[in-house]
Amino acid sequence: MIKAILIFNNHGKPRLIRFYQYFAEDMQQQIIRETFHLVSKRDDNVCNFLEGGSLIGGSDYKLIYRHYATLYFVFCVDSSESELGILDLIQVFVETLDKCFENVCELDLIFHMDKVHYILQEVVMGGMVLETNMNEIIAQVEVQNRLEKSEVRPFLSSSKSFPLIYVFGFSQVSAIKYSLSVL
Amino acid sequence: MALKIVKGSIDRMFDKNLQDLVRGIRNHKEDEAKYISTCIDEIKQELKQDNIAVKANAVCKLTYLQMLGYDVSWAAFNIVEVMSSSKFTYKRIGYLAASQCFHESTDVIMLTTNQIRKDLSSPNQYDTGVALTGLSCFVTPDLARDLANDIMTLMSHTKPYIRKKAVLIMYKVFLKYPESLRPAFPRLKEKLEDPDPGVQSAAVNVICELARRNPKNYLSLAPLFFKLMTSSTNNWVLIKIIKLFGALTPLEPRLGKKLIEPLTNLIHSTSAMSLLYECVNTVIAVLISLSSGMPNHSASIQLCVQKLRILIEDSDQNLKYLGLLAMSKILKTHPKSVQSHKDLILQCLDDKDESIRLRALDLLYGMVSKKNLMEIVKKLMLHVDKAEGTTYRDELLTKIIDICSQSNYQYITNFEWYISILVELTRLEGTRHGHLIASQMLDVAIRVKAIRVFAVAQMATLLDNAHMLTGNTQRNGICEVLYAAAWICGEFSEHLENPMETLEAMLRPKVATLPGHIQAVYVQNAAKLFATVLKSQEGNTDSTTAQEASQLMIDRLPLFVQSANLEVQERASCILQLVKYIQKLQQKDVEVSEEVCALFAGELNPVAPKAQKKVPIPDGLDLDAWINEPPSESESEDEQPKAIFSKEEPKHSRPRHTEVDEKELARRREARKQEQANNPFYIKASPSSQKVYQETPGVEHIPVVQIDLSVPLKVPGLPMSDQYVKLEEERRQKERAEKKKKDKKKRKEKRSGRGKKHDSGPESEEDITPAHMVDIVTEEMPENALPSDDDERDPADPHKALDIDLDKPLADSEKLPVRSHRAAEVLKSPAEDEEGENVSSLEPKKKSSKEKREKKKDKDKDRKKSKEEKKKKKHKHEEKEEADLLCGQADEPAFQSEETNEVVTPPTSTSADVSDLDFWLSNAPVPSNTQEAATVAAAEAAPAPGAISVTTPDSEPEEPKDTEMEETKSSKHKKKKQKREKEDKEKKKKKKHHHHHHHHGDKGGEESVQNGTVEEEEPLPPMSNYCLLAENSYIKVMMEDADEAYDIQGNLQDGSQVVVSVIFENKCDSFLKSMEFNVLDSLNSKLQRPEGSGPHDSLTIPFQLPPGVSNEARFVFTVQSIIMPQKLKGTLTFIVKNEESSTHEKLDFKLHFTCTSYLITTPCYSDAFAKLLESGDLKSSSIRLEGVNMPFHHLLARICFHHHFSVVERIDSCASMYSRSIQGHHVCLLVKISSQTVSVDAKCDEPTLLGNVLDEIKQTFSQC
């Protein structure tokens, strides 16, 4: 089970939080702070697993994260999840974001938190992995976006009007390393 | 109307949308909170509008604010409004907001039930999808109950997109509404074979998640998962399944054996690292579950270790980390395989990644041995020097101490070396673990007597160089070691070379800057030293040294008398006055040393951590009663000093001061006066008793554990001196850094000289013998400690043991309790009413299994308690119902009937599903329908509380089975059906018999003693098929006297088998594990062992027993001749594990196979019976039983129950009975009773068998 998915930037500002277990808002913020504290002091060339987040879970839980340019993607999972699997899942998620937003950057996440949520909902549901096939995820997201466009007049869905400041360094990150999404 | 829409749109034009809100917040960095509060006001306005688009926009913004930490629960109702919009766009916004901020106590949730139901059945699959996604985050027990059925329907939706979501959400529903599991499970299982890989993956996901919590209940799915594992190419699915198998293997070692091969293949073939890693992990789990005596698996271990080495050597830090993690799992069971990779692990200590270094440290802990301890610690010490960052250095420090002190210093061969390591560690600056080093110093000095001379010398040096440790006193935890140093020097001052010097060092003015509790120890131990000095000067004509000592004390102590610390002040002023008095006496030339020494006489021994708990409470002492009525408010004054005191109390194993007020103390003293008087280890205040102790010569009564330690000084042989060279190097390094310890150098030289002397010794490196006796004093226990109350506190926390066993957190198992999976109330639950036609096909399954459960329960009870007849009748009614149901089911296609069977079988009755599994797992060439019979027999065993029956089909010929699974499957089910039908018939018949007995029964049998009440209708006396096999203080083993005997094909002579059910009951408070059952085979009877094991190998019992738990295991025996009773000797070995220790225990028993146990209750019609008697093939024999004082129907019931007969006909006080042996012998009885005399005339085609059966019947009635 995935207990929580947190996305925050290099300064600890939350960009998306998704808890699969209820925590009150102040507790959520505290968890974000603690997680940021744990994750941010680690070099980029160390392993992506962390034990010992005290606020969330306990000994059965691990933090598995990836750091892309300005953003940390942190998944808090229990021992039923494969560590390498989750690393690949994060990669799938980020690559999906990249495709859906066409070169995703932090600003996309800032201004379109709702859309990021909708994409995430096609990947993880209620703490369990729903879909790992990127094409399938994108297909479902696109159908739903079309559905939305047909319902709401186009002037509401504002197109991207801000510059791409922080483009993710995808070239640095190799593709899905542990060859998981082979279907 | 049009105008209104336009107006709405214009409104929205001017409203802020999410992007505007974000932009606004970013532009108001200075006054963000203020800006947001104005935004919230705007949102509140927007929510008041009728336009749903405006509302949705507002809710969307709220979702964003929620992320920033704002509580938006006040808008819950508006969120529900947006959720119920007909437009997908707004609905999605609403559900997103709900999923982010709704939780169980959100009260508006109950308004959503109908809306969600509507969405779930929406023609638009995305409406359904959005609702499912949202619901997965905020499902409550009520919602789960109300919607379970709708969701279950969606599991069969035409769109895979919906199916997979529905499957996944079922897990959440199960968690919230456990009763739904059983009804929904068959469909969930179907989804494992869904054509869509996504749905399949979801189903695997859910079942794995369920099985992880209660693996036992899902063992029966193993064959299905095995099939998936070998056929699936989806790595996600494979990983989940393989992880699941990792959880299942500990329960069923045979499963592990079956898994090894496919897993090994995967390890070789896969290119996905994640899959490889999980395979390795599961192989490790398998190897752990198989007992270590499996030589043919060493290849698997090697493969794992080799693959892990590749992971660890990889440049990818993630793989390295996981490799180490898995390696530590192997280490526990196969330390040798890991130890050969020590180089690699030590290398990891240099890694730049702290997580990896910590993992490597964990591994090292398990890798040490006597041989390599010094080497490993030396490496670690180097790392301590190099380490940057106190956290990692502290971690190293604790690891070094852990490694050295593990298992009661098992691996330390040289304590001098260890003391020097500890001293070396004191040079660490800024460590938090001063107290840890200190307690180690104390522990070693107290418990290893031979080391005291050395330890005292080292501690004296430490005290002398105290200023090095106290750089910046307050924040430096390391000064804690001075506490230990001072105490050791004081307590063992007789070993000091120069006590006067040390005394001076302890009274330096600088000491006053140390923390209070350390000063207190200084003062107290200065007094001890002072006593030693006086003693050493005794008889010396020149009394100047003694007087100097007194003067020194008098000069320096006033500093401590002024201390702000209460403890220091008190001790100092006492001692100061004492010394002043002594000085006076000295001036009069009075010998005082003896009296002064008496102050500190007696030995202090370590007290076991649990010692206090083990003191039995004396009679008449009520610990809960108030000794004094609780005092009124005026406590505050007392409390403050207490708090200070306890705050400063160091964590040492030293005896502590308990803060109790005088009165209470007096009472306690009173209460325990007796014990104290008898206990030599109490240090008493009265001087008289101290003298007594001085006179008691030794410390013989102190329990001493001798361990085979060696101190290299006197141990000859090259390797040891090699080690010594290493030791030497370490010492030199230490020397370089710490120049001042000159006396130590001398010592060292002395030692090396001695070591060389013994170089030519004859001893090999293996048997390291203790050079001089080194004892480790065990921790002390009160002498009247109760040995049995070992884990007294465990029963209060029974889940603890379970936790360890299942490796699952307690809270989770509570979420989905095992019992509630098949709770009896299934039918009453409200959801069931709604489930209507959808579930109707499931209904019979549920019902029947429910009844079985009840019956099973009943059966257990009934073995002990007699039962009312009424109840019995009711029961029979149920049975009939069940029988009908079963017949009905048998009409279903074979495949489904398999499923049914698996579902129906109550998961906890291990027997049934395990024997199904047995079939799948057994590698032995057991004909399949034997297993079949076992299954049926097990299922059958439950409903019939009386005579246990197994029919063997004697009419239709059955073709022999081959062991190939696929083929047997279909035929297997056919047979099962047939058998079931038969049994049902038979059961009905038997019921008739029961009726028969009861209605014709005479009055006046035994009353149910257990119930204590006389029932209106005469009860049957309690009967149990289980007899005690063996028992000791740990375990009780009950055997069902070889009840279910069955033949393979009607009446063929070969391969007859007997199943013995054995109940193991854990009677002690410890955990019993690794139980192995073994029986010494005779020529005639052999225990069936899995293929590949030898004739003397024992069988591992596939479960462990937490305290107080019992479980049943079945063993299959092959018997050749059944005409004679048999006795087989056997042994049960097991490990008793509790917190501190684990011990091997063994229990011998004798299995008694009576001839009766080879009989099977078989119905016989009176005409067939008459024919049989007429045939003239039967030999006759008879017995008479005198003084049988029981009603006739009891008598018959007993014969039926204990000897597996069935009544053919009964006329008044005369009855004919029939039974058949597993090899087809007919046994006929004619039983008559007249005034307490029973005559049994019997006929059988095998006279020996008949004779034995009659003897056994006689035996039965002689016992009652």
Side-chain angles (χ1 to χ4, degrees), chain B residues 754-772:
Chain B
R754 263 195 283 173
K756 271 168 199 156
K757 251 185 258 169
H758 292 273
D759 265 357
S760 55
E763 276 171 3
S764 72
E765 62 170 292
E766 290 307 308
D767 43 14
I768 301 163
T769 49
H772 52 250

Side-chain angles (χ1 to χ4, degrees), chain A residues 149-167:
Chain A
K149 268 184 197 151
S150 71
E151 285 179 350
V152 187
R153 237 114 295 156
F155 64 83
L156 263 180
S157 55
S158 64
S159 58
K160 224 184 286 182
S161 58
F162 34 81
L164 300 173
I165 304 176
Y166 320 102
V167 176

Side-chain angles (χ1 to χ4, degrees), chain B residues 622-631 667:
Chain B
D622 182 5
L623 290 176
D624 294 328
W626 285 111
I627 293 171
N628 296 312
E629 281 304 307
R667 300 226 181 185

Side-chain angles (χ1 to χ4, degrees), chain B residues 233 303 417 479 579 605 707 1110 1136 1147 1166:
Chain B
T233 51
L303 177 68
W417 164 82
C479 62
V579 176
N605 285 309
I707 56 161
S1110 61
V1136 182
L1147 181 64
S1166 51

Side-chain angles (χ1 to χ4, degrees), chain B residues 1234-1264:
Chain B
S1234 59
S1235 63
Q1236 298 203 356
T1237 306
V1238 177
S1239 69
V1240 182
D1241 294 306
K1243 283 195 171 181
C1244 176
D1245 41 11
E1246 175 55 62
T1248 328
L1249 176 68
L1250 181 62
N1252 286 319
V1253 169
L1254 288 181
D1255 284 347
E1256 282 160 23
I1257 293 178
K1258 213 169 175 176
Q1259 186 83 31
T1260 309
F1261 289 97
S1262 67
Q1263 281 163 1
C1264 53

